[in-house]
Amino acid sequence: MKNFGKVYLIGAGPGDPGLFTLKGKSILERADVVVYDRLVSPAILSFCNASAEMVDVGKMPTHHKVKQSEINKLLVKFAQEKPGAVIARLKGGDPFVFGRGGEEALELIDAGVEFEVVPGITSAISVPAYAGIPVSHRGIATSFHIVTGHEKQEMQTCHSELYETKNFSSQVELCPLGRSTKGGVEESSISGLDFPALAKCPGTLIFLMGISNMEMISRRLIECGKDPKTPLAFIEKGTTPYQRTVMCTLETAGETILRENVTAPAITIMGGVVELGKILAWRKDLPLSGRRLVITRAAKQAGGIASRLTALGAEVIETPMIETRGVEPRVGSLDGTAADFADLSNFDVLAFTSTNGVDSFFELLFRAGLDIRSLAGKKIASVGKITEKKLLERGIRCDYVPEDHTGEGLGKLLASKCLSETQCASHSELYETKNFSSQVELCPLGRSTKCEVEESRILLLQGNLADDTILKLLPKATRWVVYETLPVATLPDWKREAVAGADAVVFASSSAVENFMNALKLPQSTEGAASNLSAQRPHLAFSIGRLTSATAKKYDFEVVESEETSMDSLVKKITEYYAV
Ligand code: SAH
């Protein structure tokens, strides 16, 4: 293989982000380029690295955004132009189940590009499962068959080579009815189907992409002898908060699609197992089913409210309005002078107050040409358990973790470790609260010679928004600002699209409203091209309190305010609002 980038053909599963594979997620997190399809949900796209190049080749049912042959070329081009890059090709369901992943892989092989396949959960099986329909069931169905209800013309004309090797001509012979009798454009898109064999087959039939052709497919199956009363279900947008199941029989399939307005993406499943769905439908209609809500909190904080709204049935689009960025270390406040990693030897204790601090510090350490060995012999302090765990992942045990997991707790703990005779006078208050006399008894010498830590040799590694709590308790310590927290400047296109289609935005602060409206503005350069997207946003806002509401109203939101300034109360308000 040449020195190209590597392509990963990844299945994104049917929609529910919880059904995405761990392997797929870990590749997305480090992907440099992500080429994705329409059926991939925003929740899965949000696993991607913020700096990844996002390429939307999604297809709408009626028009192709990017032709398959162009997608193939695009993958090869990215791989050739970006040696060493990780290129994720993200597709709905499984890439090799009507996902054209095989065609892409053939093209990559031809071009000498290395690739891997990461299977996904196919909609063919998981969507019925979410509707309580097992595709096989003892005594009812001993096999199941996944069939395409729509085969593209493009595929038949431009891949003759593939068909030769697959002995396509024999398929033609197998399905003479399908090809010869009905003609026309629609017919040709299912001409590869062997209707007599399908009609005879006693197993469960599962059609993907078949909605627009289903009237014809059901007619042909009945003509070929399949029982018109065969139970049939359409499952629309399966595994998402918009999932809907419509049941009928083979003979009423066409009229049911029209009457119930069944739309893509939907699968069609036929056979006795469909009846089980009436008993086994386990997915309850939840209070927020079918609602898409934008959450504007920082990802870490959003976790709590996002998972609660998801559990209530909503599709949650996490759009944190602030982001953290590593910086060159600076001393003390943001306008301090640059710190130098050569100074690291001046410190005996490194104190971390966030996981971001840990990540940023190590990034800077590596960039300075150093590594973990320059920390040998130093004591490590962490504000709490999560930061402690992050350090442990890097092979570092913490020496100091306060019991109460706060900055104040950490400051006090470290202060108690650096007591000395001279400091004693200036820390009288501290000694009182820490019951210093007993410590003195424990280490009478310690006051002068044995203090564990020298205050001036403590280094705090913090973000630009950290307050001075710890520095006040340890005035001789040094602080390096190792990362910055800034408002998000703009939203990527996929997120704009997700926001445009949302029902409401949830705001937990006034600044989140301001940042959200700013981030919706398009960068000058793309203003003309995509201005229609920037205008599209929900006009309903759920707000946590008075100030937030006032700001939201300023931007023309219809505001629903929570009773109390708490997340509990806000979630309750959202649920009540949609209950009526
Ligand atoms: N590779 C995909 C299938 C791609 S073909 C897979 O393994 O699932 C696209 C078709 O898949 C759609 O037309 C629809 O029939 C089906 N499909 C995909 N996701 C679906 C979903 N969430 N609900 C219902 N049908 C879905």
Side-chain angles (χ1 to χ4, degrees):
M1 292 281 166
K2 306 209 182 76
N3 183 25
F4 292 152
K6 181 166 173 181
V7 176
Y8 293 82
L9 302 173
I10 307 174
D16 179 346
L19 297 179
F20 187 39
T21 62
L22 292 176
K23 188 167 185 181
K25 182 166 179 264
S26 86
I27 294 167
L28 280 196
E29 283 165 354
R30 59 195 165 86
D32 302 290
V33 182
V34 181
V35 180
Y36 64 96
D37 277 353
R38 180 179 63 97
L39 284 181
V40 176
S41 76
I44 288 175
L45 292 179
S46 61
F47 294 138
C48 300
N49 193 318
S51 59
E53 181 174 349
M54 305 291 287
V55 184
D56 175 6
V57 290
K59 302 166 193 142
M60 302 308 282
T62 45
H63 66 278
H64 274 230
K65 265 196 191 167
V66 183
K67 278 203 189 118
Q68 185 60 48
S69 50
E70 287 166 23
I71 297 175
N72 300 350
K73 288 200 190 86
L74 198 65
L75 294 176
V76 170
K77 182 172 132 303
F78 277 127
Q80 289 174 338
E81 286 175 359
K82 295 177 187 278
V86 172
I87 299 145
R89 169 69 177 114
L90 194 55
K91 298 160 158 296
D94 181 273
F96 279 5
V97 177
F98 302 125
R100 308 188 77 168
E103 295 166 54
E104 291 171 10
L106 283 172
E107 193 95 11
L108 293 170
I109 291 257
D110 268 357
V113 175
E114 202 185 342
F115 69 91
E116 262 185 49
V117 181
V118 182
I121 294 190
T122 179
S123 62
I125 297 171
S126 57
V127 167
Y130 264 49
I133 303 174
V135 291
S136 72
H137 194 83
R138 207 153 63 96
I140 300 180
T142 52
S143 65
F144 59 86
H145 309 265
I146 304 169
V147 186
T148 173
H150 199 108
E151 190 154 78
K152 285 280 166 296
Q153 276 290 40
E154 183 202 348
M155 187 169 161
Q156 297 181 10
T157 49
C158 71
H159 283 84
S160 52
E161 199 191 296
L162 191 71
Y163 293 146
E164 262 168 53
T165 61
K166 292 263 170 203
N167 196 9
F168 184 62
S169 62
S170 75
Q171 292 199 13
V172 177
E173 278 157 39
L174 271 175
C175 52
L177 285 178
R179 295 188 60 96
S180 55
T181 55
K182 296 273 167 168
V185 178
E186 278 199 322
E187 190 77 353
S188 70
S189 69
I190 50 165
S191 57
L193 296 186
D194 180 354
F195 284 103
L198 289 172
K200 245 185 265 144
C201 174
T204 306
L205 298 185
I206 300 155
F207 286 86
L208 303 191
M209 300 180 284
I211 298 304
S212 57
N213 289 332
M214 196 44 65
E215 198 274 323
M216 184 179 14
I217 291 172
S218 56
R219 182 162 41 79
R220 301 296 304 282
L221 286 171
I222 293 169
E223 277 168 19
C224 293
K226 195 160 178 69
D227 181 358
K229 300 283 180 221
T230 306
L232 183 149
F234 301 111
I235 310 156
E236 205 180 71
K237 302 187 178 65
T239 82
T240 75
Y242 313 96
Q243 176 175 318
R244 180 170 72 127
T245 306
V246 177
M247 291 193 183
C248 58
T249 57
L250 187 57
E251 66 184 345
T252 58
E255 65 189 66
T256 306
I257 289 176
L258 291 178
R259 190 184 62 242
E260 299 287 336
N261 189 25
V262 178
T263 49
I267 72 155
T268 308
I269 177 163
M270 4 181 139
V273 290
V274 168
E275 291 290 318
L276 283 169
K278 294 181 182 157
I279 308 162
L280 300 181
W282 54 270
R283 253 193 139 195
K284 303 277 168 281
D285 234 354
L286 294 164
L288 299 180
S289 291
R291 308 289 174 188
R292 177 183 282 186
L293 302 174
V294 178
I295 307 292
T296 52
R297 302 202 91 194
K300 243 187 285 163
Q301 303 166 304
I305 187 168
S307 55
R308 284 163 68 182
L309 294 173
T310 306
L312 287 163
E315 180 185 18
V316 171
I317 309 293
E318 289 186 47
T319 310
M321 284 297 128
I322 52 175
E323 62 190 349
T324 53
R325 263 209 323 236
V327 292
E328 292 305 322
R330 282 169 284 198
V331 177
S333 66
L334 261 185
D335 37 19
T337 51
D340 188 341
F341 267 77
D343 293 345
L344 211 54
S345 58
N346 294 337
F347 302 103
D348 297 329
V349 179
L350 304 186
F352 294 91
T353 56
S354 66
T355 52
N356 275 329
V358 175
D359 287 339
S360 308
F361 172 78
F362 280 95
E363 198 186 311
L364 293 170
L365 184 77
F366 284 123
R367 271 188 12 216
L370 301 172
D371 63 27
I372 196 166
R373 287 169 295 178
S374 19
L375 310 186
K378 297 193 193 304
K379 302 260 190 210
I380 306 291
S382 155
V383 72
K385 288 241 177 296
I386 301 172
T387 306
E388 185 184 12
K389 188 164 163 251
K390 191 90 184 173
L391 284 157
L392 207 55
E393 283 165 12
R394 293 181 181 267
I396 296 173
R397 284 186 205 283
C398 285
D399 301 280
Y400 307 120
V401 185
E403 269 175 22
D404 66 355
H405 301 169
T406 64
E408 189 180 0
L410 180 61
K412 285 183 177 170
L413 177 66
L414 289 179
S416 76
K417 302 291 175 193
C418 49
L419 302 174
S420 69
E421 215 159 21
T422 43
Q423 286 170 320
C424 190
S426 61
H427 283 85
S428 53
E429 197 191 295
L430 192 67
Y431 297 151
E432 267 168 48
T433 59
K434 287 270 167 195
N435 195 6
F436 183 58
S437 62
S438 74
Q439 292 202 10
V440 175
E441 277 157 39
L442 275 175
C443 54
L445 288 178
R447 301 193 68 186
S448 50
T449 58
K450 285 220 176 151
C451 62
E452 262 182 66
V453 172
E454 217 177 290
E455 189 178 316
S456 62
R457 295 183 66 84
I458 297 177
L459 177 60
L460 304 175
L461 298 154
Q462 299 190 292
N464 62 323
L465 298 185
D467 63 22
D468 284 344
T469 311
I470 304 183
L471 266 188
K472 278 191 185 134
L473 291 162
L474 301 166
K476 291 189 190 149
T478 299
R479 171 160 77 177
W480 285 3
V481 173
V482 288
Y483 67 91
E484 284 176 358
T485 303
L486 301 166
V488 167
T490 185
L491 295 181
D493 282 353
W494 67 266
K495 212 159 232 192
R496 280 176 196 282
E497 276 178 41
V499 165
D503 294 288
V505 193
V506 182
F507 292 117
S509 71
S510 181
S511 63
V513 184
E514 298 282 3
N515 293 340
F516 177 75
M517 295 310 295
N518 272 332
L520 275 188
K521 283 190 206 143
L522 286 166
Q524 218 75 98
S525 56
T526 54
E527 201 134 12
S531 58
N532 53 339
L533 263 185
S534 78
Q536 290 166 22
R537 48 116 178 163
H539 280 82
L540 175 64
F542 293 103
S543 144
I544 199 161
R546 213 166 32 84
L547 283 178
T548 307
S549 302
T551 313
K553 281 180 190 151
K554 199 173 84 186
Y555 289 107
D556 248 3
F557 278 102
E558 177 197 335
V559 177
V560 179
E561 190 177 300
S562 84
E563 309 285 325
E564 289 162 30
T565 316
S566 75
M567 280 299 153
D568 283 347
S569 180
L570 186 56
V571 170
K572 187 162 166 264
K573 194 77 194 177
I574 296 171
T575 318
E576 281 168 9
Y577 178 86
Y578 286 116
V580 284

